Amino acid sequence: MVNIGILGLQGAIEEHEAAIANTAHKKGIAINVKRLILPQDLIDIDGIIMPGGESTAMILIGERNGMLSAVREKIKQGMPVFGTCAGAILLSQKVRRNADSPVREGAFPFLDIEILRNGYGRQVDSFTIDLTIKGQDKHFKGVFIRAPVISHIGDEIEVLAEVRNTPVFIRYKQIFATTFHPELTDDSLIHELFLESLIA
Ligand code: GLN
């Protein structure tokens, strides 16, 4: 049994719960899905999904209830994580609010990347685009909602998909991140890749 936790502070939590449950069912993998709100919810968890939403709201709530430091410690010990959109922002070492704003450290700064929040601009707040995923022959529909732009990546980051030369799906050791929302499509490919990495 694989125990998957969905960081439940704020954001698209239910969509990820449904997406990972469907993926596991399709693949015949037995999983438990649990919403992670308080530090004690982390007991026995094998992998964490961090949903999209508002990274600032997640930080405010998580700082207050001790969840940020508890999750940070788990990732430090090697906990597999998959961050989507706001979740990817939380995992970034360098976060900017806009091009001129100071650089801040993300809540879980394990990815050597710089990320610009809402980086695709207001006019193109949201868009979908067919992505080519490394090692896969089918396209994946990337749904971008007020998405951040990964403006810089360190040498050790593996790029699994990009849009106009900008990474949108990356991996570093046990950490996956997308700037788009795979939980909002019927295609379970990205959730499959994360789930398979947990049982590999
Ligand atoms: N714009 C949000 C932020 O900065 C992220 C958007 C999303 O997760 N869909 O936190």
Side-chain angles (χ1 to χ4, degrees):
M1 185 67 75
V2 186
N3 293 313
I4 308 278
I6 315 287
L7 190 63
L9 301 174
Q10 189 269 342
I13 300 160
E14 283 170 25
E15 290 84 347
H16 270 294
E17 286 172 347
I20 197 73
N22 289 339
T23 305
H25 182 71
K26 194 173 136 193
K27 290 289 190 188
I29 300 168
I31 68 166
N32 265 326
V33 183
K34 186 171 167 189
R35 214 172 271 207
L36 308 175
I37 298 168
L38 296 167
Q40 58 264 37
D41 298 333
L42 287 161
I43 294 167
D44 292 335
I45 291 296
D46 301 307
I48 299 177
I49 296 179
M50 298 182 178
E54 268 311 311
S55 51
T56 43
M58 294 177 190
I59 288 168
L60 282 176
I61 300 166
E63 230 159 39
R64 240 176 265 158
N65 70 11
M67 200 51 173
L68 292 193
S69 49
V71 171
R72 205 179 294 127
E73 196 48 41
K74 283 282 176 192
I75 304 175
K76 205 163 145 191
Q77 291 163 9
M79 171 74 77
V81 191
F82 171 27
T84 60
C85 204
I89 295 171
L90 299 180
L91 289 163
S92 304
Q93 270 172 17
K94 293 177 180 169
V95 182
R96 280 182 199 274
R97 197 152 44 90
N98 56 54
D100 307 319
S101 70
V103 172
R104 296 236 166 90
E105 196 170 67
F108 316 117
F110 293 95
L111 291 178
D112 178 12
I113 63 174
E114 182 177 294
I115 205 160
L116 179 61
R117 294 179 59 200
N118 305 312
Y120 289 98
R122 285 209 184 126
Q123 277 124 330
V124 276
D125 270 344
S126 306
F127 60 96
T128 60
I129 191 166
D130 279 345
L131 302 172
T132 303
I133 311 287
K134 190 173 167 186
Q136 308 291 328
D137 16 279
K138 271 192 306 137
H139 278 153
F140 187 90
K141 190 158 92 174
V143 179
F144 292 78
I145 303 171
R146 299 203 317 118
V149 167
I150 296 174
S151 44
H152 179 79
I153 57 166
D155 294 341
E156 288 183 76
I157 305 284
E158 184 186 6
V159 177
L160 297 169
E162 46 187 20
V163 170
R164 296 188 289 272
N165 298 323
T166 299
V168 295
F169 180 21
I170 57 175
R171 180 179 187 173
Y172 170 65
K173 295 185 180 167
Q174 87 282 13
I175 305 175
F176 290 72
T178 63
T179 56
F180 55 93
H181 285 264
E183 79 284 7
L184 298 182
T185 59
D186 292 334
D187 192 338
S188 57
L189 172 70
I190 311 277
H191 284 83
E192 273 171 40
L193 294 174
F194 179 61
L195 195 53
E196 277 162 3
S197 78
L198 293 181
I199 55 176

